[in-house]
Each structure stands twice: as structure tokens, then as C-alpha cells.
């Protein structure tokens, strides 16, 4: 029994399905989260440290409002323990969360039990650009838990040939094989998942993707457009500012080739996603 509904089935807001953002880092997914939380006032269950250290251990579920007026269910979907707790407390059946955000696709999928299903949506980005962006984020984010001292002096060439470089993160995450060999079968599984189970957005076409996500889930009815403009930049320079925001730094051929070699299956998955994006236009006509 699949834990995710078919993307071609119409989403019913009052039904048993919950929108699930498969969060791929450095794709603009964090911006989507902020837009949904701040401009649509949705209640989220999340893997980010939104609920603070004092929550996420209670024997019950409740909605917490943060100082910035964002609303979260008191679960932490970043850890195995947090996901198990959300499962035990029947997060999905409680219908407290309007949307669920997590990178840990397979593990988080365990919280969906019939008749409750997840309805996946995601933002995907060219894997070479994403790898470049991950490097600069690691280098310039000393507050992140993933930050290590050696990043501050590391060049992108050193990073490309280090053990820190991600290898086919998307295919691994979807097939649940975070280490060891992955094969063409895993790539096929990932292609099937994003074409059958996921509404695909593209970082390179952020505006269009976000509008499509809102329409698909019925979130376009009540949205604070002034709030959106503030978060996304003004409409005139919008595409410009967003494209600059997601612009990857130029990289040398040596680095490009190494990023490609380590992410070849993700590149093939992304090429597939570009086709899916065009095909899915018809879902929100």
C-alpha cells in the first residue's frame, strides 16, 4: 500500500491526504516553507528547529506559535526519535498539520497509514548548481550544525575531491540508500516516484512552480500577496532577484567534471524532472 497518493488524483483539502514537501536543500525549498507559513498562515510539521528545545518531547500534540507568528505542531521530523514520536502520537490522523516538511522521505513516509496518505511536492535544481550552492552554504554558515572549521579555508576544488561532497543525494534519499552502491534500478525507482507521486517544481522556474503548488493544493484562495512580494522581491525585478538568489557561482571544468561524476544519477533524475515539469502543467489547468 503506497503511503503517497498519485499526483494525477485531484487533491481534496478536506480529505485524508496531507501535503508533504520533500525538502531538497539549496533549491529554494526554505523560501517555499516561509511563503506557506507566513503568507498562507499554514500550520506545519517540520524538520527544522522551529519549535525550540523545550518542545517535541510532550506525550501529546499541540500547535505552537513562534514569536514570528509561524505555527508548528510540536514535532521534530529531523531525527528518528522525533519521527517515531510523531508516528506514535498519530500526527497525520490528528489533522493538526496543514503541511509536512521533511528531507527524510522514506523515514517520514512511515507516519502515513491508510486511509491517510501523503501528497508529495518538491523543488528540484540542477545537481551541479546545487552542489556548488551546498559548498558555499557550508563555507559561509558557521551557525549551521553541519559547519566544520575546515570549511572556512577550503577551496571549491578541495571540496570537490573531499569526502564532504554529496553523491547522488536525491536518488539516495528516494531509494533510502544513503551509503554504499546505488544502481540504475535505484534511479528508475526515483524517476517513478517523482513522476507518479510528486508534484515537481523547479528552482530555475521558481515563480511558476510556486504558483502551480498553490493552485494544486488550493492554497491560492487565501494568500497574502503583499507578504509574498516582500519575501520574493517585487514583481518587476522578481524573476531577476530570484534568479540571482539561486545563481550558482561559476566553477572550473575540473570541479564541474568531479561534481558530475559524483552526481551522475541525480543529473539523469533532474533531466527526467524537466520533462515531468512540462507534463504536469495540465494538472492545474
Amino acid at each position: 500500500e503506497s503511503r503517497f497518493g498519485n499526483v494525477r488524483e485531484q487533491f481534496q483539502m478536506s480529505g485524508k491526504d496531507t501535503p508533504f514537501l520533500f525538502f531538497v536543500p539549496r533549491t529554494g525549498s526554505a523560501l517555499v516553507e516561509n511563503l506557506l507559513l507566513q503568507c498562507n498562515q499554514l500550520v506545519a510539521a517540520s524538520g527544522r528547529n522551529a519549535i525550540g528545545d523545550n518542545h517535541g518531547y510532550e506525550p501529546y500534540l499541540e500547535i505552537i506559535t513562534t514569536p514570528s507568528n509561524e505555527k508548528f505542531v510540536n514535532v521534530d521530523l529531523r531525527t528518528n526519535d522525533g519521527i517515531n514520536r510523531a508516528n506514535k502520537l498519530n500526527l497525520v490522523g490528528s489533522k493538526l498539520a496543514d503541511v509536512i516538511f521533511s528531507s527524510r522521505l522514506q523515514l517520514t513516509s512511515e507516519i502515513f497509514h491508510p486511509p491517510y496518505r501523503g501528497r508529495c511536492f518538491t523543488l528540484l535544481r540542477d545537481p551541479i548548481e546545487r552542489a556548488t550552492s551546498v559548498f558555499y552554504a557550508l563555507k559561509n554558515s558557521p551557525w549551521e550544525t553541519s559547519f566544520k572549521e575546515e570549511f572556512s579555508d577550503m577551496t571549491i576544488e578541495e571540496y570537490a575531491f573531499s569526502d564532504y561532497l554529496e553523491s547522488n543525494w536525491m536518488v539516495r534519499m528516494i531509494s533510502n540508500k544513503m551509503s554504499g552502491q546505488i544502481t540504475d534500478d535505484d534511479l528508475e525507482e526515483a524517476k517513478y516516484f517523482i513522476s507518479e507521486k510528486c508534484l515537481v517544481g523547479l528552482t530555475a522556474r521558481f515563480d511558476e512552480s510556486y504558483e502551480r503548488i498553490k493552485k494544486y493544493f488550493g492554497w491560492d484562495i487565501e494568500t497574502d500577496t503583499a507578504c509574498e512580494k516582500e519575501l520574493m522581491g517585487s514583481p518587476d525585478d522578481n524573476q531577476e532577484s530570484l534568479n540571482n538568489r539561486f545563481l550558482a557561482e561559476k566553477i572550473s571544468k575540473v570541479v564541474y567534471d568531479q561534481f558530475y561524476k559524483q552526481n551522475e544519477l541525480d543529473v539523469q533524475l533532474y533531466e527526467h524532472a524537466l520533462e515531468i515539469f512540462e507534463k504536469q502543467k495540465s494538472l492545474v489547468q
Side-chain angles (χ1 to χ4, degrees):
E1 170 63 31
S2 173
R3 296 171 185 273
F4 291 98
N6 189 305
V7 69
R8 286 182 288 279
E9 266 179 54
Q10 201 178 358
F11 176 73
Q12 305 289 343
M13 229 172 184
S14 55
K16 299 227 179 333
D17 295 350
T18 305
F20 174 90
L21 172 62
F22 171 38
F23 186 102
V24 182
R26 314 305 304 165
T27 57
S29 291
L31 178 57
V32 169
E33 285 193 0
N34 290 337
L35 286 161
L36 293 175
L37 285 162
Q38 293 170 29
C39 308
N40 285 68
Q41 299 291 307
L42 297 185
V43 177
S46 163
R48 66 177 182 179
N49 191 18
I51 54 174
D53 298 332
N54 305 329
H55 295 288
Y57 308 101
E58 302 91 334
Y60 52 84
L61 296 176
E62 63 176 343
I63 294 172
I64 291 162
T65 304
T66 67
S68 55
N69 209 27
E70 296 178 338
K71 294 183 176 62
F72 291 93
V73 183
N74 61 333
V75 292
D76 181 354
L77 302 179
R78 289 174 306 172
T79 65
N80 297 7
D81 286 350
I83 291 168
N84 289 335
R85 174 176 166 275
N87 201 355
K88 276 204 189 86
L89 294 175
N90 192 17
L91 168 67
V92 175
S94 75
K95 296 302 277 179
L96 286 176
D98 299 316
V99 62
I100 294 171
F101 305 139
S102 179
S103 295
R104 309 193 59 185
L105 180 71
Q106 295 297 345
L107 201 62
T108 314
S109 74
E110 302 286 317
I111 67 177
F112 297 106
H113 307 279
Y116 299 102
R117 299 176 307 176
R119 293 298 287 267
C120 172
F121 64 108
T122 192
L123 264 188
L124 301 180
R125 183 179 188 180
D126 175 303
I128 312 294
E129 279 190 18
R130 200 180 82 76
T132 308
S133 181
V134 165
F135 168 71
Y136 286 106
L138 287 171
K139 196 174 169 61
N140 300 321
S141 312
W143 58 87
E144 289 286 355
T145 45
S146 50
F147 181 77
K148 294 184 173 56
E149 217 33 71
E150 59 255 47
F151 290 142
S152 37
D153 302 323
M154 194 182 276
T155 66
I156 194 161
E157 283 74 16
E158 289 166 338
Y159 174 71
F161 290 91
S162 76
D163 291 340
Y164 294 119
L165 177 63
E166 289 175 350
S167 164
N168 296 305
W169 186 94
M170 291 190 301
V171 172
R172 288 182 179 282
M173 211 36 112
I174 295 171
S175 61
N176 206 20
K177 288 190 179 171
M178 290 319 286
S179 55
Q181 283 296 98
I182 48 174
T183 63
D184 285 344
D185 287 348
D186 298 315
L187 172 62
E188 289 311 311
E189 182 188 334
K191 281 182 173 178
Y192 172 82
F193 182 79
I194 66 163
S195 53
E196 298 296 315
K197 303 290 184 183
C198 226
L199 184 70
V200 173
L202 302 174
T203 307
R205 290 164 71 177
F206 185 90
D207 289 22
E208 192 182 342
S209 301
Y210 184 60
E211 286 307 313
R212 188 181 293 183
I213 289 165
K214 283 196 304 181
K215 274 204 182 91
Y216 182 87
F217 288 111
W219 292 328
D220 52 337
I221 319 295
E222 287 180 38
T223 186
D224 177 345
T225 44
C227 165
E228 287 186 344
K229 277 179 191 155
E230 196 176 323
L231 286 182
M232 289 165 77
S234 72
D236 316 322
D237 63 15
N238 194 10
Q239 214 36 62
E240 179 60 23
S241 63
L242 279 173
N243 284 346
N244 282 341
R245 183 182 309 196
F246 300 131
L247 209 55
E249 311 267 344
K250 296 277 179 280
I251 52 174
S252 67
K253 185 174 184 327
V254 174
V255 171
Y256 183 96
D257 290 347
Q258 177 65 4
F259 281 178
Y260 184 91
K261 191 174 129 191
Q262 289 296 314
N263 291 284
E264 199 169 341
L265 295 184
D266 268 12
V267 170
Q268 290 180 53
L269 180 64
Y270 182 70
E271 284 164 359
H272 180 67
L274 295 176
E275 291 170 29
I276 299 301
F277 183 78
E278 296 306 332
K279 284 184 181 151
Q280 288 184 349
K281 267 198 175 105
S282 61
L283 297 177
V284 293
Q285 293 308 340

